[in-house]
Every structure is written in C-alpha cells, then in structure tokens.
Amino acid sequence: MLKQVAEGVLVHESEFIQSNSVVVQGRAGVLLIDPGITSNEMAALANDLRELGQPVVAGFSTHPDWDHVLWHADFGDAPRYGTARCAASLGDLLSQADWEAQVAEGLPPEYAEEIPMDLLGLITGLATEAAQVPWDGPRVRIIEHQAHAPGHAALLIEERGVLVAGDMLSDILMPFLDLEAADPIEDYLAALRLFASVADGIDAVVPGHGSVGGAEQLRARIEQDREYVQALRDGEVPDDPRVGPSAPLDWLPDVHRWQLERLAQREQRATPE
C-alpha cells in the first residue's frame, strides 16, 4: 500500500478522492499524518507498518476536516497532534451531543458505512508557538496558516525535502477557501506566499488529495492556485481545468460556483447602502 516519495517518507493513496496518508520513518517508529479513509484501508496500512517493524509513535492532523482526523485501533494509542486552533475546533465539535450526526451529513454515501467514527478527532493541540512536531525522528516543521480551515498546517520534513500540504496544492482540487474566516481571499494568498518562501528546499509535495508532485510541480501549483484565488477575488472566470468542463470530479464546478456566490454575498453585506 505504501509508495516511497523520499528517503524515509512513504505515502498511501486512498480510493476516496486520492486521499494521501503520509508515513515518516523515525528512530523508534513512524509519524503518521492524516491517516484514512476506510477501516479496511487503515487496518491494511497498520499491517504494512507492522511488517516493516515500524510502530506508530506519533500522529498529526493537518486540519480539522473529518477526513484528516481519523484513526484506527490498530495504530495504537500514540499521541495525535494538531495545531492549537485545529484541536480547539475539534473540541468544540466533539462537545456537542449530536456531533456524529453532524459529521455523518458530510460523509460520502458510498463510503459512509466504512468510515470509523469512534476515534475521530482525538487530537492534542500543540502550543501556539510550537515550530515542529514533538517526536523522535527527522525535524518536521509546522507551517501554520489560516487558508483552508481553522488551524490548517502544512508540514515540512526538512531533511527529506518533502512538503505535506494538507488540503492545498492539489492537482485535482482547486482551492477550497475557509469562507467563515474574516478575510478568506487574503488568508489563502498569504498561505501560498508561505509555501513559495520555502519552495527552494522542497523536492516533493504531497497534497491531501491528488498526485505527489516534484519541485517544478510545486511551483506550478502555487501559481495555479494563486491565479484561481485572484480570479475569485476579481470576479473573473478562472482559466483552470479543475473547474472547467473536463474537471477531474464532476462536482467541482458546483463547488466553484458556490464559492463565487458566497464571496459575492459577503461583499454585499460588507458594502454600506
């Protein structure tokens, strides 16, 4: 199930929207990032790690969306981390009596029965000033930003030249903005500037969904996402195949139109009469 993308960094791709789980090998075991999606996939991933003699010693969730905060009992009870804002968002959700019903509303029907909910979202928030994941392995730098979701973080595995991008820098999904944020457009552009600032040291980018890309693809994705977000800002039609007639997923044009409508509504509310 695992494909090596750099020394000591392996990726498993799920059938669900090409979701990527990332394994980083350390001294005593592995750091497991955004594992998913179905029970069978996660059990098989745990088995692969056992066969490699690599127990899970830490987990990390890049952001609080349901498909990035899953877990399986076979991974064990290693600490699972996220940013403080990510953990706070999940804490708010899990404190509500009907949280399972809320999550269930967003699950893809074809996978809903296969997605385990019992260990969902049990994340320990790191200190706000935390600069790296606390574990016994290669330095994993936390690049937190406010673009796709509260407390969203990319992870830079500096010694390996790998950027784990969370739900950004995808070749199959256009940017999904956090439309509940105060300034979703500028938040997203600021995150892309952060990625551009570290691009020189990166040989591989792993998006939350989609294909792993090399250094040239990283820069191209940053530019493509920037152009898309600027088109949203300016009310223009983006020249982006991810939302056109040949979109990789047939529902993406609808999401694009929904984002345009929400941004237009925000603008109307902000404009004094």
Side-chain angles (χ1 to χ4, degrees):
M1 293 182 70
L2 290 166
K3 177 182 177 181
Q4 182 168 312
V5 299
E7 180 185 353
V9 182
L10 306 102
V11 173
H12 165 250
E13 183 182 292
S14 169
E15 293 181 0
F16 172 70
I17 320 182
Q18 292 181 245
S19 300
N20 291 313
S21 304
V22 181
V23 171
V24 185
Q25 295 176 319
R27 295 176 183 85
V30 304
L31 168 66
L32 182 56
I33 305 167
D34 290 353
I37 291 295
T38 67
S39 289
N40 287 341
E41 285 176 326
M42 287 189 278
L45 175 56
N47 185 63
D48 285 354
L49 293 173
R50 277 195 300 271
E51 290 182 355
L52 291 172
Q54 296 278 303
V56 177
V57 296
F60 192 93
S61 291
T62 57
H63 61 289
D65 288 353
W66 68 265
D67 52 329
H68 294 261
V69 295
L70 298 169
W71 200 252
H72 193 283
D74 288 355
F75 295 143
D77 57 357
R80 300 161 56 189
Y81 301 113
T83 66
R85 290 187 182 187
C86 173
S89 177
L90 287 165
D92 288 344
L93 171 67
L94 297 177
S95 68
Q96 300 175 43
D98 65 340
W99 73 265
E100 288 193 61
Q102 292 184 48
V103 173
E105 288 180 2
L107 299 180
E110 66 271 30
Y111 291 101
E113 297 301 318
E114 304 173 50
I115 296 169
M117 304 279 276
D118 51 329
L119 299 175
L120 181 146
L122 304 180
I123 304 298
T124 297
L126 297 174
T128 303
E129 66 276 8
Q132 64 186 76
V133 178
W135 81 300
D136 187 19
R139 173 180 164 87
V140 179
R141 178 179 164 194
I142 299 169
I143 304 177
E144 184 177 356
H145 47 270
Q146 305 306 317
H148 171 73
H152 195 289
L155 298 179
L156 177 55
I157 309 163
E158 296 178 311
E159 297 173 33
R160 307 293 186 248
V162 177
L163 179 68
V164 181
D167 270 359
M168 300 182 70
L169 303 180
S170 172
D171 60 329
I172 64 168
L173 303 179
M174 74 291 190
F176 286 24
L177 279 61
D178 180 3
L179 294 170
E180 301 302 320
D183 194 346
I185 293 288
E186 179 51 35
D187 284 348
Y188 215 101
L189 293 174
L192 294 175
R193 289 193 293 270
L194 274 177
F195 294 151
S197 72
V198 300
D200 285 347
I202 296 172
D203 299 315
V205 57
V206 185
H209 305 275
S211 303
V212 177
E216 291 185 4
Q217 290 168 309
L218 167 62
R219 293 183 182 279
R221 292 180 191 186
I222 292 172
E223 185 57 30
Q224 184 180 41
D225 285 355
R226 180 185 294 115
E227 290 176 358
Y228 175 84
V229 174
Q230 289 174 338
L232 285 182
R233 178 194 64 194
D234 300 337
E236 299 175 352
V237 178
D239 181 18
D240 194 316
R242 297 171 296 182
V243 298
S246 59
L249 299 163
D250 58 10
W251 46 267
L252 289 176
D254 292 335
V255 175
H256 166 64
R257 286 188 289 270
W258 175 78
Q259 293 198 118
L260 277 174
E261 291 169 1
R262 287 288 305 275
L263 288 167
Q265 292 167 0
R266 290 170 59 100
E267 185 68 22
Q268 290 175 350
R269 290 195 296 268
T271 302
E273 297 183 6

